[in-house]
């Protein structure tokens, strides 16, 4: 399938007012609704290689910037997965109002799983792409030295003195590129456009406070806690070469597939963001699965 990529700048940018905050979103196409939810530090532009393909196949495709990211406002709040779950549910109530397939990458995948589990009236199905196991690591998931290091790091990040300096270092375009090189196998997918869609929102007022809040937030529920509550079919896609959410962590989904309608598709030689790095594999997989619903 040929990639029908829409440059980020060409996606129609719409604004929704949620709790007094401006939320950026886009919508394209007509048909059964899909809601795309990005991961940490990303935005609706991360779906630029997927939105036009899914819309052309006969779906109404929504993509939304989570509060604190992309073109959405970045207020000084405590950012949690529960806050974003509420945002997604309220967006659905106001804009969609019919059973929807939720599609999410990384933290976005975990948020979709939470909505599927806790608000079944919203859901027709779910697509999880390298789904995160939590917003942050849980202490019991780390060995003692790493646990101590992470504790020090979170204190530094949230420091009013050192935090802004550290954030300005992390968000440099050269550092963003090196970070993406850790999680994208195909380095040709790390384009200037991709760097820009991550870098630009980091320049917004409040972006540093969002970064600090997210990195010090509770991890939220685990997929193991959520999966038994999900009543709709799931498609789980996993880039096999992801060092951030290794495919070894997908065992829970393979086990769930033994007793529930879950399709698991590994994507070889692909990292943490398979929808962006390898859309020629991901888009057909999603469309074939959608046709079975």
């Amino acid at each position: 399938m040929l990639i029908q990529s829409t440059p980020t700048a060409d996606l129609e940018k719409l604004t929704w007012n949620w709790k007094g905050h401006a939320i950026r979103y886009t919508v394209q196409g007509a048909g059964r609704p899909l809601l795309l939810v990005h991961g940490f530090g990303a935005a609706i532009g991360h779906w630029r290689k997927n939105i036009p393909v899914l819309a052309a196949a006969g779906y109404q495709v929504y993509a939304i910037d989570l509060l604190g990211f992309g073109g959405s406002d970045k207020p000084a709040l405590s950012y949690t997965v529960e806050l974003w779950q509420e945002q997604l549910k309220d967006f659905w109530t106001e804009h969609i109002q019919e059973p929807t397939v939720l599609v999410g990458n990384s933290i976005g995948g975990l948020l979709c799983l939470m909505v599927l589990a806790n608000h079944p009236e919203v859901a027709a199905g779910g697509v999880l792409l390298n789904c995160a196991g939590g917003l942050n690591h849980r202490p019991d998931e780390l060995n003692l030295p790493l646990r101590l290091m992470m504790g020090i790091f979170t204190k530094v990040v949230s420091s009013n003195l050192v935090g802004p300096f550290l954030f300005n270092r992390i968000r440099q375009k050269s550092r963003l590129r090196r970070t993406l090189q850790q999680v994208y196998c195909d380095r040709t997918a790390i384009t200037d456009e991709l760097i820009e869609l991550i870098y630009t929102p980091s320049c917004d007022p409040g972006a540093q406070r969002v970064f600090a809040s997210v990195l010090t937030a509770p991890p939220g529920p685990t997929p193991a806690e959520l999966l038994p509550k999900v009543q709709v079919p799931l498609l789980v896609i996993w880039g096999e070469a992801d060092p951030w959410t290794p495919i070894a962590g997908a065992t829970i989904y393979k086990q769930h597939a033994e007793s529930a309608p879950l399709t698991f598709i590994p994507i070889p030689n692909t990292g943490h963001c398979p929808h962006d790095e390898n859309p020629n594999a991901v888009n057909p997989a999603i469309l074939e699965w959608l046709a079975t619903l």
Side-chain angles (χ1 to χ4, degrees), residues 152-167:
I152 294 169
F153 178 72
T154 55
K155 288 182 180 179
V156 170
V157 164
S158 56
S159 163
N160 291 330
L161 182 63
V162 183
F165 170 79
L166 181 63
F167 178 70

Side-chain angles (χ1 to χ4, degrees), residues 32 45 67 71 75 84 95 109 115 125 175 202 206 211 231 236 272 278:
R32 170 180 279 175
L67 186 68
W84 291 319
H95 292 275
V115 175
R175 289 181 180 272
S202 75
F211 177 76
Q231 303 172 13
V236 177
H272 187 63
N278 198 347

